[in-house]
Structure formats: structure tokens, C-alpha cells
Amino acid sequence: MIVMALVALAAVVATLLLVLPRDNEGVGPAEPASKAVITIAVLPFDIQTTSDEDQSLAFGVSDEILSALSRSPSLSVIAGNSSFQFQGESKKDLAALGKQLNISHVVDGTLRRAEEGLRVGVHLIEADSGKVVWSDVVTRPETEIYSIPPEVASAVHTALGVEHSGGRRQSHVPDPEAYQLYLQAKTLLAFRSASGMDIAINKLEKAVNLDPSLVEAWETLAMTRIEYLFAQGPGGTGSPNADPFQRHRAARQDANAVLAIDPDSIEAQLALVILDNSEQKATLAETIGRMRSLLARAPNHPDVNRRLGMLTGGVGRFDEAARYLD
């Protein structure tokens, strides 16, 4: 998996450096922050209906559980772009899946509708043995779906006997329609196409207009605008979001909106690090240093590790990059 990531690195970095200037002055080697021993993958939950809306809910719940677990200093969580490729039949051979992803545990589940609301069945499984470590069925009204991911993440921590992440501070109850739009956007973003990003951005903008305190939507909106630059390049056209300068300004506003609500948001601070470098407000050395500082706080954050691996690989330090991309 590491080798494949490094083989693809050159192409990825070529795109990345369209928005991150080539500047490696003062960039010295450093050991990555110590990662957790327990490595876990969250798989996309199955649905027991044929509704596209339910598919978005199932995928969104899976992704939110992944995000909640990623905040833990005690777990290393595989990024969704790796684990979410396993769906349907490909999820059945857990031993092979575990070897491919180099993981010790899997979180999998199902979502279906019932009279009392949404029923989410969740299982924590040892990848090599297939032993179920913990399982439960969580039932909530659809308007309270936001409460399921942190509850599941807390239960997984308890089952594994590791330190809880503490989770995000919930200052309010999310607007149900806004939260649904947010989950739909995350489902679209799993495929990372330019057209999907376009639609996702529109859904996220509607979500934060409906609920200006929905910090998760602001975070995702900021990072999606940045990802769109990578997908299309600074000169990309054919989209209402295609102007790179407008997108930079909007992404910075999104990130600052997050920090006004949650000053500790890793995602918002990562967005600002990337934006500062792409706008030449920070050198590459400063950018790598700031990313390392974020990892010191969240050593297992998949997106920070991935981006730091891309940057260090981009200046030729492939051994260090491999550790971040592992």
C-alpha cells in the first residue's frame, strides 16, 4: 500500500504544486509524531432499502464515525478514500481486507428505517480472526441522526479499552435539513470528481446558510474548495466555483467561521496552513512545520498525515513521506 502511494506521489505532487510553491529552504528531516498501535478501518455501511436518500445517510453516518474516531490519540484510522472502496461482496473477506489495509480492526454496519426512526447496527470486528468484539443497534429519530456517530465512537473506544477522544464540543442541536445536506455532500465527495465537488459545494453552502453553527459543514466546505483547486488546477473553468482567487477567499472565510465556533478545529487550521502557503504567505518550510504542529496534537489525523506525506515526498524525502502515508 505504501509503495503504491509513493508511485502515485509524483502525479499527485505535480498537481499539488500548482497551488503550493516550490520552496524547500530550511526544510529539515523530522520524525513523525508517534502513531497509535491499534489501526482501524471504517467501512461504508450497507442499507436495507433501495432509496438514494438512505444511501447518503448510511454513507454519511459511516464517514462521521470515521471522523469521530480520527480525533482519538489512541487509534490510527485509515482514510475514507482507502477504506470506502470496500463495499458489498468485497467486505466479506475481512482477513484479506485487513492485510491489504494493514489494520487490526474494522467497524462495519447497516442502516434501515423502522417505525421509531433510523436503526443503525454497528459491529467492531477483529480483521484477522473475524471475531466480533462489540456490536449494538442504535435507534434514533431521523432528526437526531447527528447523535449516532459520537455515541458509536465512544462505544468503540470503550470496547478497545483505549483513551476516549473527547469528541467535538456540541454547542447546539444541528438543523435537521442542514445536517442532511451535509451528509449528502460528504457522499458526493467520496468520489472526488469535479462535478461531484460542484454539487457538494452547493449543498454545503445551503447547509451553512440554514445552520450557521454547523461547524462540520463549514470545515468540509473549506477543504472542498481547496480540493477543487487540485482537481481542476488554478485555471479550471466551467463551474460557478472555478475562479481560484474567489475560491481561496471563500475557503479562508469558511475556515475562520469554523474557528469562531471551535478554535481547536484541526480541519480549519489545516485549511489555513494550505491557503497561506498557496498564497505565498508562508514558505514550504513554514508550512511543513505548521503541519507537524497539528500532528503533535492529532498524530493519527488521516488528512494531515496524507498532506504532510505529499509535501515531504515532493521535496524528495520519500522515507519520511512513507511514514506519514503508512
Side-chain angles (χ1 to χ4, degrees):
M1 181 177 178
I2 298 173
V3 175
M4 292 177 63
L6 289 176
V7 169
L9 191 58
V12 174
V13 168
T15 304
L16 180 65
L17 292 180
L18 289 171
V19 291
L20 296 181
R22 295 177 182 269
D23 176 6
N24 62 353
E25 62 187 46
V27 181
E31 285 295 316
S34 177
K35 290 191 177 183
V37 174
I38 298 177
T39 305
I40 193 166
V42 180
L43 304 182
F45 285 15
D46 296 322
I47 59 169
Q48 297 178 337
T49 71
T50 58
S51 166
D52 290 340
E53 180 183 354
D54 288 352
Q55 180 66 62
S56 294
L57 289 177
F59 187 95
V61 167
S62 308
D63 202 25
E64 285 296 274
I65 292 171
L66 186 155
S67 296
L69 291 172
S70 296
R71 299 187 183 100
S72 171
S74 308
L75 300 175
S76 182
V77 184
I78 298 296
N81 59 350
S82 295
S83 62
F84 286 166
Q85 65 181 300
F86 295 95
Q87 302 181 42
E89 292 295 317
S90 64
K91 295 199 295 183
K92 290 188 176 180
D93 190 347
L94 288 183
L97 187 156
K99 289 180 181 178
Q100 185 172 342
L101 294 178
N102 192 27
I103 56 173
S104 59
H105 293 78
V106 165
V107 173
D108 196 10
T110 60
L111 179 145
R112 69 181 178 88
R113 292 185 181 274
E115 288 186 7
E116 57 270 44
L118 296 172
R119 292 175 61 85
V120 178
V122 190
H123 315 284
L124 173 65
I125 308 168
E126 290 182 353
D128 57 351
S129 68
K131 176 184 175 183
V132 177
V133 178
W134 164 83
S135 67
D136 198 3
V137 177
V138 181
T139 304
R140 293 288 183 277
E142 190 167 342
T143 55
E144 296 178 14
I145 192 172
Y146 66 88
S147 68
I148 296 177
E151 181 177 336
V152 169
S154 178
V156 168
H157 282 96
T158 299
L160 292 172
V162 299
E163 178 185 354
H164 286 226
S165 63
R168 185 187 299 281
R169 294 172 294 178
Q170 285 288 347
S171 58
H172 83 303
V173 175
D175 176 86
E177 184 180 351
Y179 196 77
Q180 292 265 5
L181 287 166
Y182 163 64
L183 294 183
Q184 291 167 14
K186 295 201 80 174
T187 303
L188 289 165
L189 292 172
F191 303 100
R192 293 184 178 273
S193 68
S195 60
M197 288 183 184
D198 244 348
I199 300 170
I201 286 171
N202 290 333
K203 287 182 178 292
L204 290 166
E205 288 175 339
K206 290 178 182 177
V208 296
N209 283 333
L210 284 170
D211 186 350
S213 296
L214 187 54
V215 65
E216 295 90 342
W218 283 115
E219 288 173 340
T220 307
L221 185 53
M223 293 306 299
T224 302
R225 294 193 206 275
I226 293 171
E227 288 284 356
Y228 206 179
L229 280 170
F230 301 163
Q232 302 225 129
T237 57
S239 159
N241 296 292
D243 178 0
F245 301 105
Q246 184 276 337
R247 190 153 54 249
H248 270 234
R249 289 192 298 271
R252 187 175 292 278
Q253 290 170 355
D254 299 336
N256 285 327
V258 173
L259 295 176
I261 303 168
D262 180 4
D264 298 324
S265 169
I266 296 291
E267 289 78 4
Q269 292 178 50
L270 175 61
L272 292 177
V273 169
I274 297 171
L275 290 168
D276 283 349
N277 185 256
S278 67
E279 295 170 9
Q280 301 188 31
K281 294 179 178 178
T283 65
L284 183 57
E286 292 168 336
T287 300
I288 290 177
R290 289 168 67 184
M291 286 191 180
R292 287 175 180 154
S293 295
L294 292 178
L295 276 191
R297 292 169 46 203
N300 304 303
H301 194 289
D303 203 18
V304 181
N305 274 286
R306 177 174 66 90
R307 291 176 185 278
L308 190 47
M310 290 162 61
L311 285 176
T312 52
V315 294
R317 293 208 304 275
F318 293 105
D319 287 344
E320 182 179 352
R323 293 194 295 271
Y324 292 121
L325 293 169
D326 184 2

